[in-house]
Amino acid sequence: MTTQAFTPEATQARIQHEGLRSKIMTAEQAAELIQPGFNVGMSGFTGSGYPKAVPLALAARMEAAHAAGKPFRVGLWTGASTAPELDGALAKAEGISMRLPYQSDPTVRNQINAGGMFYSDMHLSHVAPMAWAGFFGRLNVAVIEVAGILPDGRLIPTTSVGNNKTWLDIADHVILEVNHWQSTGLEGMHDIYYGTRLPPHRQPIMLTAPHDRIGEPYLHCDPEKIIAIVQTDAHDRNSPFSPPDENSRLIAQHMIDFFQHEVKAGRLPANLLPLQSGVGNIANAVLAGLNESPFNNMTAYTEVLQDGMLEMIKSGKLTFASATALSLSPEATQYFTTHLDEFRGRVLLRPQEISNHPELIRRMGMLAMNAMIEADIYGNVNSTHLMGSTVMNGIGGSGDFARNAYISFFMSPSTAKGGAISCIVPMVSHTDHTEHDVQVIVTEQGLADLRGLAPVPRARRVIEKCAHPDYRDALTDYLDRALAGGAPGKHTPHLLQESLSWHQRFVQTGDMRKKG
């Protein structure tokens, strides 16, 4: 890939620090500064704000090295998932030795599950403090996309913040990609907080509402650490969302009905509490339902601003949204970019150590809505693994929010693979969120409010409200036989010889249901 040429006027407008303009080079030249065995921290969060040119040039170097019999791998740290030009390109070049803290690329996933790449799946709020403490080793180089550089060296962030502040602070060296596609109108829409500390020096974070500003609009980096600047003009690659299907609409309606009940019971205010929503089609369907609901003056304190929230802001239903990144479809991205003035003062992007901070989630009382792969009858949730050992994407921020939210919701259709898989099972094959952090489970079949219930009543409710009819009798039979003496105890009764038999049956036959 050859870096595009830019006019002197365009370059000077984006890179206003005179001394740093001397460090402009091609992506290929910048990639030469990254050596085998380095740990590399890159910007990017859910397909937004990731470097577009240097990773491709680095992948080309890796491919040439492999062809010469000299494997070239790096440790790759980001904010969350990125895009094909980063994760995909480096994985196809077999150039990633360790990936953290989240991924969603199919090539990366295949290599992880084949044992060809190590992967540390982490709560997103833990990444920055663990990096500062040195648990991941030394960060040799950071590659960060920015929208521009001010005369005093301050950096204008782009469509994601993620871990950029931390990477810029702790990296030995920094490569900046200045992306001319990223609108300079983003300037001022960020709140970069520099007050976090490691124990025993932590102080309260003085943020009490989603709209509060506690930091500044810019990122900082010592100019002496910047070893290269690459100019690009390339768009983010976020995927379009599918229109809500019938299951998603039913899940959304169950959620709306629940919120209305909670308001009537006096447990939620009329405008609800700050919303957190995971990424995906079900989440977008719930947001679309909220946009058509009777609720007004809502706010959001979440990881990503996706299409559903953008529509809520446009309609006036959502008055403010705090996030760490955009995760918009191409059409929504175009609208956001061309109507930035509409969103100024109503959208704020923060570092993910703040967007996902447990202290802030607990203080503001989030309504945390996240997807799951499966839940068991007692309320334990698996959000990362298929059949116990094959990782999908990762836990992301769902654990940060579920553990600390006012109400934590997990949502999924009740079946998958045309009914061959039940998403409500006797025992989850992998546990990401224990029953203690899961308060409400929702499928298209119904909503199970598990608050205040002991394990056996909880199981009865999950089966009755959430399980698909094709599996409901089998789940009831499992619980009844466990209670009748098949389990060693009756507090959380399990038939250990059967608890994962549904998963084993699917692995062997392609269907969880017993035949005949």
Side-chain angles (χ1 to χ4, degrees):
M1 175 178 180
T2 302
T3 307
Q4 178 180 342
F6 294 88
T7 65
E9 294 78 15
T11 297
Q12 187 168 347
R14 290 280 180 161
I15 306 170
Q16 298 176 27
H17 188 287
E18 186 173 351
L20 288 177
R21 287 200 290 272
S22 66
K23 299 183 180 182
I24 296 173
M25 61 182 71
T26 67
E28 292 77 9
Q29 290 170 326
E32 290 287 338
L33 303 173
I34 300 173
Q35 301 304 316
F38 272 16
N39 286 322
V40 183
M42 296 201 185
S43 60
F45 197 107
T46 57
S48 294
Y50 58 93
K52 314 296 194 292
V54 173
L56 288 171
L58 180 60
R61 278 193 69 204
M62 290 169 167
E63 290 172 352
H66 280 291
K70 299 177 181 178
F72 183 162
R73 291 186 161 198
V74 299
L76 177 61
W77 314 352
T78 62
S81 56
T82 60
E85 299 99 318
L86 200 165
D87 268 325
L90 296 181
K92 288 174 183 175
E94 298 183 12
I96 306 174
S97 56
M98 164 67 93
R99 181 73 174 89
L100 64 87
Y102 185 89
Q103 58 77 37
S104 64
D105 183 85
T107 306
V108 172
R109 183 185 305 123
N110 290 340
Q111 290 187 12
I112 292 167
N113 287 317
M117 181 192 305
F118 286 121
Y119 173 48
S120 180
D121 183 26
M122 300 175 57
H123 296 300
L124 296 187
S125 69
H126 289 181
V127 181
M130 290 184 75
W132 271 106
F135 288 113
F136 311 140
R138 191 181 194 96
L139 184 60
N140 303 103
V141 178
V143 185
I144 308 296
E145 182 183 83
V146 297
I149 305 173
L150 299 180
D152 59 5
R154 288 177 296 170
L155 309 175
I156 303 172
T158 62
T159 45
S160 74
V161 180
N163 284 316
N164 295 357
K165 166 192 162 291
T166 299
W167 300 164
L168 290 168
D169 283 347
I170 69 174
D172 294 334
H173 301 290
V174 172
I175 297 170
L176 297 178
E177 283 199 10
V178 178
N179 189 349
H180 291 241
W181 175 84
Q182 294 279 4
S183 173
T184 54
L186 290 166
E187 185 174 0
M189 296 184 73
H190 305 84
D191 187 53
I192 313 301
Y193 180 64
Y194 278 90
T196 52
R197 300 288 185 269
L198 291 176
H201 306 294
R202 282 180 174 156
Q203 296 293 317
I205 299 173
M206 304 309 292
L207 192 155
T208 60
H211 62 266
D212 287 349
R213 283 181 174 267
I214 57 172
E216 55 186 280
Y218 306 103
L219 292 162
H220 293 273
C221 182
D222 179 357
E224 295 300 317
K225 290 170 58 170
I226 299 172
I227 56 175
I229 295 176
V230 176
Q231 296 189 87
T232 66
D233 188 359
H235 60 84
D236 288 336
R237 290 190 186 273
N238 280 316
S239 301
F241 293 100
S242 301
D245 60 14
E246 182 61 20
N247 282 343
S248 298
R249 285 191 286 268
L250 287 169
I251 290 170
Q253 189 57 56
H254 296 321
M255 296 284 288
I256 303 303
D257 292 344
F258 174 84
F259 289 141
Q260 290 178 314
H261 176 271
E262 292 297 289
V263 171
K264 186 176 180 180
R267 289 188 287 261
L268 286 177
N271 66 334
L272 305 182
L273 289 166
L275 306 172
Q276 179 265 333
S277 175
V279 180
N281 293 322
I282 293 177
N284 253 320
V286 172
L287 295 172
L290 284 167
N291 201 28
E292 298 171 1
S293 74
F295 303 112
N296 294 295
N297 300 315
M298 291 176 279
T299 61
Y301 192 87
T302 189
E303 293 172 309
V304 291
L305 190 150
Q306 52 188 326
D307 286 25
M309 282 190 180
L310 192 72
E311 291 299 318
M312 292 175 73
I313 295 172
K314 289 164 62 176
S315 72
K317 288 282 189 176
L318 193 69
T319 61
F320 195 88
S322 168
T324 193
L326 306 181
S327 184
L328 302 172
S329 67
E331 294 77 13
T333 298
Q334 178 65 27
Y335 186 92
F336 182 85
T337 302
T338 56
H339 295 80
L340 274 171
D341 286 344
E342 289 182 26
F343 301 105
R344 189 171 306 283
R346 302 177 72 185
V347 173
L348 202 56
L349 300 181
R350 311 178 189 273
Q352 70 189 62
E353 64 181 307
I354 299 300
S355 69
N356 289 52
H357 203 291
E359 172 190 338
L360 305 176
I361 296 167
R362 178 64 61 89
R363 177 181 299 140
M364 285 185 274
M366 304 296 144
L367 301 176
M369 303 176 287
N370 290 285
M372 65 182 183
I373 290 174
E374 62 181 2
D376 66 28
I377 57 177
Y378 296 112
N380 301 290
V381 165
N382 167 19
S383 61
T384 62
H385 284 70
L386 301 177
M387 301 301 135
S389 59
T390 301
V391 73
M392 275 296 290
N393 298 334
I395 195 169
S398 59
D400 295 325
F401 285 92
R403 171 64 60 89
N404 300 287
Y406 180 64
I407 307 177
S408 62
F409 302 82
F410 283 93
M411 308 172 293
S412 171
S414 62
T415 62
K417 297 290 184 183
I421 292 176
S422 175
C423 297
I424 305 297
V425 293
M427 179 184 285
V428 288
S429 59
H430 177 91
T431 305
D432 292 294
H433 314 280
T434 73
E435 60 192 89
H436 313 289
D437 301 330
V438 179
Q439 296 170 328
V440 179
I441 293 175
V442 195
T443 72
E444 84 285 358
Q445 299 296 320
L447 180 148
D449 184 353
L450 308 180
R451 294 173 295 176
L453 297 182
V456 172
R458 189 184 304 137
R460 298 282 187 206
R461 184 165 294 182
V462 170
I463 295 169
E464 175 192 355
K465 297 290 188 181
C466 298
H468 191 277
D470 288 353
Y471 290 93
R472 199 172 292 151
D473 288 346
L475 290 165
T476 300
D477 176 67
Y478 173 89
L479 178 60
D480 288 345
R481 286 187 292 113
L483 280 167
K490 294 188 178 182
H491 175 62
T492 310
H494 267 301
L495 302 172
L496 295 180
Q497 71 276 19
E498 295 184 32
S499 56
L500 294 175
S501 63
W502 292 26
H503 300 87
Q504 184 62 32
R505 188 179 302 122
F506 178 82
V507 170
Q508 292 175 339
T509 70
D511 200 313
M512 282 187 173
R513 294 165 290 196
K514 285 184 178 179
K515 302 299 182 181

